[in-house]
Amino acid sequence: MYAKLIEKLKNYGTVITEHVGDYSLSVKGQSFLSDKFIHDRDLHWLRQSHIVIAEVSTPSLGVGYEIATAISWRIPVITLYKEGEQTVSAMISGSDGCRHFPYKSIPDAHRIIENEFTKMGLEVSNES
Amino acid sequence: MYAKLIEKLKNYGTVITEHVGDYSLSVKGQSFLSDKFIHDRDLHWLRQSHIVIAEVSTPSLGVGYEIATAISWRIPVITLYKEGEQTVSAMISGSDGCRHFPYKSIPDAHRIIENEFTKMGLEVSNES
């Protein structure tokens, strides 16, 4: 599912955290890296981002940390969550720094991304 | 367990999020409040804090969000996690903004709190 969202986002530019959709580069696949290395690298990636799209259906300290950091750096944040599943933390759903959307299916999530990117003047640059 | 950590912290001053140890005021008990109300109230509490003690054994978007916000506001953060359980996100364990400690038992967690507070010059003000 993450891989399918990433495919969509790649139409608009570079997806810095593409490894999230790739198991070999996922958290478990990165166990040889130090925590400090991962933290500093991820914040370095965040600092270069024009926009953050966060899938927030699953509780995660790291995702919450990155969202709040993006907000404090004034990076626009879109949060997507699967409709009807677990409630998302009020710190995310109640934050003025996130545009927060439920989705039912991948095409649904793709439509949300298209709409939000259009509003922000971001256009498809590499149609795939 | 949260209640026992809060009892210890109350020796040092006011615990603003004391409701975390009280089910009726926990997230599920607050379902009548809007997400924006909870978010804004929690950040208002955070803004008044001299120190944040976060129990991070359980993944949580809200806790990650509050830790990163505390760091960006230069509030000292101590994170405690149960030794040997789930791995804590590298965004927390690898962050220079958190002092990160494993604990085995409540007395163990109490000792960590005492040590850290002593280093920071925070003294017991209401011995219970």
Side-chain angles (χ1 to χ4, degrees):
Chain A
M1 199 223 19
Y2 295 143
K4 283 180 187 158
L5 292 176
I6 289 166
E7 273 316 300
K8 180 71 182 178
L9 293 172
K10 282 168 77 177
N11 294 332
Y12 292 89
T14 308
V15 178
I16 302 177
T17 52
E18 201 175 336
H19 69 287
V20 172
D22 179 345
Y23 181 80
S24 66
L25 293 169
S26 72
V27 172
K28 284 185 180 117
Q30 292 183 88
S31 54
F32 58 93
L33 300 174
S34 78
D35 290 347
K36 178 152 172 55
F37 180 93
I38 295 171
H39 170 274
D40 292 355
R41 181 202 58 188
D42 284 14
L43 286 199
H44 176 70
W45 282 340
L46 185 59
R47 212 172 265 119
Q48 297 174 60
S49 303
H50 294 111
I51 186 163
V52 170
I53 314 292
E55 212 293 339
V56 294
S57 306
T58 309
S60 159
L61 285 159
V63 172
Y65 184 101
E66 295 200 39
I67 289 172
T69 305
I71 292 172
S72 82
W73 290 347
R74 294 194 285 182
I75 299 170
V77 179
I78 292 173
T79 51
L80 299 172
Y81 64 100
K82 273 178 255 157
E83 192 170 287
E85 291 195 17
Q86 232 181 322
T87 317
V88 177
S89 166
M91 296 311 287
I92 305 300
S93 55
S95 171
D96 286 336
C98 307
R99 296 183 56 78
H100 190 55
F101 300 97
Y103 67 94
K104 289 192 191 97
S105 62
I106 291 293
D108 207 20
H110 285 183
R111 267 189 303 274
I112 294 163
I113 291 168
E114 271 168 35
N115 285 342
E116 289 304 299
F117 277 36
T118 301
K119 274 190 232 166
M120 298 175 74
L122 297 166
E123 282 173 19
V124 169
S125 55
N126 333 290
E127 191 72 67
S128 67
Chain B
M1 197 221 22
Y2 296 141
K4 283 178 186 159
L5 292 175
I6 288 166
E7 274 315 300
K8 181 71 178 176
L9 294 172
K10 281 167 76 177
N11 294 333
Y12 292 89
T14 308
V15 179
I16 302 177
T17 52
E18 201 175 333
H19 69 287
V20 173
D22 179 344
Y23 181 80
S24 65
L25 293 169
S26 73
V27 172
K28 283 186 181 116
Q30 292 182 88
S31 55
F32 58 93
L33 300 174
S34 78
D35 290 346
K36 177 151 173 55
F37 180 93
I38 295 170
H39 170 275
D40 292 355
R41 180 202 60 190
D42 286 13
L43 286 198
H44 176 69
W45 282 340
L46 185 60
R47 212 171 267 120
Q48 297 173 62
S49 303
H50 294 111
I51 187 162
V52 169
I53 315 292
E55 213 292 342
V56 294
S57 306
T58 309
S60 159
L61 286 159
V63 172
Y65 184 100
E66 295 202 38
I67 290 172
T69 305
I71 292 171
S72 81
W73 291 346
R74 295 194 285 181
I75 299 169
V77 178
I78 293 174
T79 51
L80 300 171
Y81 64 100
K82 273 178 256 159
E83 194 171 288
E85 293 196 15
Q86 232 181 320
T87 318
V88 177
S89 166
M91 296 310 288
I92 305 300
S93 55
S95 171
D96 285 335
C98 308
R99 296 183 55 79
H100 190 57
F101 300 96
Y103 68 94
K104 289 193 191 95
S105 61
I106 292 291
D108 207 18
H110 285 184
R111 269 190 302 276
I112 295 162
I113 291 168
E114 271 169 34
N115 286 342
E116 290 304 300
F117 277 37
T118 302
K119 274 190 231 164
M120 298 175 74
L122 296 166
E123 283 172 17
V124 168
S125 56
N126 336 287
E127 191 74 68
S128 67

